[in-house]
């Protein structure tokens, strides 16, 4: 996701604020990273038990609060890729 200029660290902190709550809802991995080549880009990589578990997590008050706080700080440019895990470390 692309943030408004200079807002990357603020958005990353907002995304990480509710990360612990996700485990109870089927999140196996939630990693927030920042681009080394673009000061306004954040990458979020998530692994969920199921799509339904992920969808349900979006209704959590913590998730709703983080989304509401982050949205005004984003440009609206998002890249999304869904995959099916077939194995590997941590899968």
């Amino acid at each position: 996701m692309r943030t408004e200029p200079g807002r990357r660290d603020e958005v990353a902190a907002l995304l990480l604020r509710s990360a612990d709550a996700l485990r109870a809802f089927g999140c196996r991995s939630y990693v927030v990273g920042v681009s080394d080549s673009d000061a306004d880009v954040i990458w979020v990589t998530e692994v969920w038990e199921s799509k339904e578990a992920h969808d349900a997590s979006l209704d959590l008050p913590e998730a709703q609060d983080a989304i509401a706080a982050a949205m005004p700080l984003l440009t609206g440019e998002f890249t999304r890729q869904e995959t099916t895990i077939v194995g590997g470390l941590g899968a």
Side-chain angles (χ1 to χ4, degrees):
M1 64 185 70
R2 180 171 295 281
T3 68
E4 293 291 345
R7 305 307 289 265
R8 182 183 74 182
D9 293 343
E10 185 178 355
V11 173
L14 287 169
L15 295 172
L16 290 168
R17 186 173 66 190
S18 62
D20 288 337
L22 301 177
R23 181 169 294 141
F25 288 85
C27 185
R28 295 184 179 171
S29 177
Y30 183 84
V31 178
V32 177
V34 296
S35 173
D36 290 338
S37 61
D38 189 327
D40 299 319
V41 170
I42 297 173
W43 292 96
V44 180
T45 304
E46 304 174 50
V47 177
W48 288 86
E49 291 177 3
S50 67
K51 182 174 180 357
E52 293 77 19
H54 173 262
D55 292 347
S57 77
L58 296 175
D59 292 329
L60 291 171
E62 298 93 333
Q64 289 292 315
D65 290 346
I67 292 167
M71 288 305 285
L73 307 176
L74 301 173
T75 65
E77 296 175 57
F78 295 92
T79 300
R80 180 180 175 134
Q81 180 66 54
E82 292 188 26
T83 63
T84 298
I85 303 299
V86 295
L89 184 61

